[in-house]
Amino acid sequence: MNSTPDRSTAASSGPILSAGDEERRAGLRRMRAVALGLLVLAAIVFVLTHGRGGAWGYVNAASEAAMVGAVADWFAVTALFRHPLRLPIPHTAIIPKRKDQIAHSLEDFVTDNFLTEDNVNTRLASAQIPLRLGHWLQEPGNAGRVVTEAAPALSKAVTSIKDDEVRHLLDRILLPRLGREPVGPLTGHLLQGVVEDGSHHGLVDIGIRELHNWAEHNEATITEILGQRAPWWSPKWLDDTVTARVHLEIVKWLADVRDDPNHSARQALDNLLATLADDLQNDEDTIAKAEAIKERFLEHPSVGNSLVSLWGSVRRAVVEALGDPDGELRARLAVALHDLGARVVRDDELRASLDRRLAETVGYVVRTYGRELSTVISQTIDKWDGNEAAERIELHVGRDLQFIRINGTIVGGLVGLLIHTLSQLL
């Protein structure tokens, strides 16, 4: 009555078992042997005590009932997975016959009771994922490990973006969209913010410093340019004296502008930029001129090629930087991740915002795609044939089901003993 399937059949057509499945199968065999052993023991006791009176009658009745209970529960357990004794008895081999209905029922159960927005949000709230991630990123070496693991994938992702794809994005989406958007007010608003914040002062400092250095070390070029503007009748010595003096005054003036942050030239530049920012937002003529410049720029045939070439240079630089384990980019990314982890741990408001956004994102996914996610259950089981589904399920629950056979043997024996006792008393 042992319901162990034929090994040759399982080996030829059954699923490939993992190490965990083999361990479960061994446990299932042991529990089947225990249940079968109790049935055999009850049968032996029944044979040895059959027809004997006295106390042996009680033992015989208990063993008889134990056999009945063992066989009944063996039938019930076996009928879930296959036909008992391979007889096509109605309402047996339930799982092979109804695996699709069972799969869809399990899918509905998981969707309705587990993949719900409330359950997922409760679990996320207790998990405190941003806080744990922040602590983990602060531990020595973890931020660098993330960068090391992610760098090849990032490099591959950047490399996979081809020039044709970038050109298509520029020609079909970005440049046409930029052409439809008015550039004047936006540029004016940005420029106004730059002037008010003084963000351009650093760039002005660099420009003035470089211009001063160039003028100081290129006297011959400047004097030659100035000499070309001198009258034809002017003597050369006078031209040389004037141009040398002009060059000296230019260098001194640039030095004054460089060293004085409140120089009138700087203030004049600020006023010019502020006026331009206001005109770009409010003056119709300036806005129209900005639009005309933008259109000429976008319509120029070299714009797309230049942007694609720029992207190629950026791509090569990024890939090379990501490929260097000791490079500056990786080091900066690791520092940035470490600092981010510290900020998440320290900043309660930021952490609460991350928790809220994570809950909203996961909640949306579960709410919108929960049913599709759970269909993996039915889709996977649909690919199995009935016997494969029965074997997989039996490997996971069959060992525990053998306790039903064991309990049926013991409880049947006790009930048989009780009934025989009551019959003797009556």
Side-chain angles (χ1 to χ4, degrees):
M1 295 183 181
N2 194 339
S3 58
T4 303
D6 182 73
R7 290 288 150 238
S8 62
T9 303
S12 61
S13 60
I16 299 176
L17 301 180
S18 64
D21 289 337
E22 291 292 355
E23 184 178 352
R24 295 185 187 96
R25 171 164 284 176
L28 176 58
R29 288 172 179 168
R30 288 193 297 269
M31 292 309 301
R32 280 175 174 169
V34 171
L36 180 60
L38 288 178
L39 174 58
V40 172
L41 176 61
I44 293 173
V45 172
F46 174 78
V47 172
L48 295 178
T49 59
H50 182 67
R52 301 178 66 176
W56 292 110
Y58 290 88
V59 176
N60 182 262
S63 62
E64 181 180 7
M67 287 191 298
V68 174
V71 172
D73 287 336
W74 164 82
F75 184 91
V77 171
T78 304
L80 290 173
F81 305 103
R82 61 189 58 83
H83 294 299
L85 300 178
R86 299 186 180 180
L87 299 176
I89 303 172
H91 305 294
T92 59
I94 296 174
I95 291 178
K97 291 180 178 179
R98 305 190 59 187
K99 70 176 183 68
D100 293 339
Q101 295 92 322
I102 294 173
H104 288 286
S105 297
L106 181 60
E107 174 187 314
D108 293 337
F109 177 78
V110 171
T111 302
D112 296 337
N113 295 278
F114 293 94
L115 284 180
T116 63
E117 188 173 357
D118 291 339
N119 287 341
V120 172
N121 286 339
T122 300
R123 180 57 181 167
L124 286 176
S126 63
Q128 295 184 321
I129 294 177
L131 179 61
R132 291 184 178 182
L133 183 59
H135 282 299
W136 186 82
L137 287 174
Q138 284 186 290
E139 295 178 4
N142 284 344
R145 178 184 173 185
V146 171
V147 174
T148 301
E149 295 293 335
L154 290 175
S155 179
K156 185 176 181 180
V158 173
T159 305
S160 65
I161 304 176
K162 305 302 181 183
D163 290 347
D164 292 341
E165 297 173 346
V166 175
R167 179 176 293 278
H168 182 272
L169 179 66
L170 290 172
D171 294 342
R172 299 296 181 87
I173 300 176
L174 294 183
L175 294 181
R177 178 61 183 271
L178 184 60
R180 293 192 298 268
E181 295 293 333
V183 69
L186 176 61
T187 305
H189 180 72
L190 293 176
L191 182 59
Q192 180 182 358
V194 169
V195 174
E196 291 176 353
D197 295 339
S199 303
H200 64 296
H201 289 163
L203 183 61
V204 172
D205 291 339
I206 295 174
I208 293 297
R209 184 169 60 249
E210 293 300 324
L211 184 59
H212 173 268
N213 291 337
W214 182 87
E216 187 175 25
H217 295 91
N218 290 273
E219 180 180 0
T221 302
I222 295 176
T223 55
E224 181 182 357
I225 294 173
L226 293 174
Q228 294 175 356
R229 309 294 297 179
W232 62 269
W233 46 264
S234 176
K236 187 175 185 308
W237 64 268
L238 181 61
D239 293 343
D240 293 341
T241 302
V242 172
T243 54
R245 182 64 182 179
V246 171
H247 170 261
L248 180 62
E249 292 299 325
I250 291 175
V251 173
K252 289 177 60 178
W253 183 79
L254 290 174
D256 291 340
V257 176
R258 179 195 63 189
D259 298 333
D260 184 4
N262 297 316
H263 196 277
S264 58
R266 289 177 177 264
Q267 295 177 0
L269 178 61
D270 290 346
N271 293 333
L272 175 63
L273 294 176
T275 301
L276 178 60
D278 182 71
D279 290 343
L280 285 171
Q281 296 179 78
N282 303 303
D283 183 69
E284 295 296 334
D285 291 338
T286 305
I287 294 175
K289 291 178 181 179
E291 287 298 311
I293 294 173
K294 179 195 71 175
E295 291 176 1
R296 287 198 299 270
F297 173 79
L298 295 179
E299 292 173 357
H300 197 281
S302 65
V303 171
N305 294 332
S306 300
L307 293 177
V308 172
S309 299
L310 177 62
W311 160 248
S313 301
V314 172
R315 178 177 57 198
R316 286 190 296 272
V318 171
V319 171
E320 291 176 0
L322 288 174
D324 185 3
D326 302 320
E328 183 69 16
L329 179 58
R330 285 200 183 189
R332 288 183 177 273
L333 289 175
V335 171
L337 284 176
H338 182 276
D339 293 343
L340 176 61
R343 184 184 174 191
V344 170
V345 173
R346 183 178 61 253
D347 193 336
D348 294 338
E349 184 177 351
L350 173 62
R351 191 168 62 253
S353 176
L354 292 175
D355 283 326
R356 183 176 62 257
R357 292 181 183 276
L358 179 61
E360 291 174 353
T361 302
V362 176
Y364 172 79
V365 172
V366 171
R367 184 172 62 253
T368 307
Y369 304 106
R371 174 64 63 179
E372 286 75 9
L373 291 174
S374 61
T375 55
V376 69
I377 298 174
S378 60
Q379 291 174 356
T380 300
I381 296 179
D382 284 343
K383 297 178 182 178
W384 301 344
D385 62 29
N387 293 330
E388 181 181 355
E391 182 170 357
R392 286 183 179 271
I393 296 173
E394 187 177 18
L395 282 177
H396 285 80
V397 301
R399 181 179 181 277
D400 294 328
L401 291 179
Q402 301 309 308
F403 284 101
I404 296 177
R405 295 175 58 187
I406 295 172
N407 292 335
T409 305
I410 296 173
V411 172
L414 294 175
V415 172
L417 177 62
L418 178 61
I419 293 174
H420 182 73
T421 302
L422 290 176
S423 67
Q424 294 298 316
L425 292 176
L426 296 176

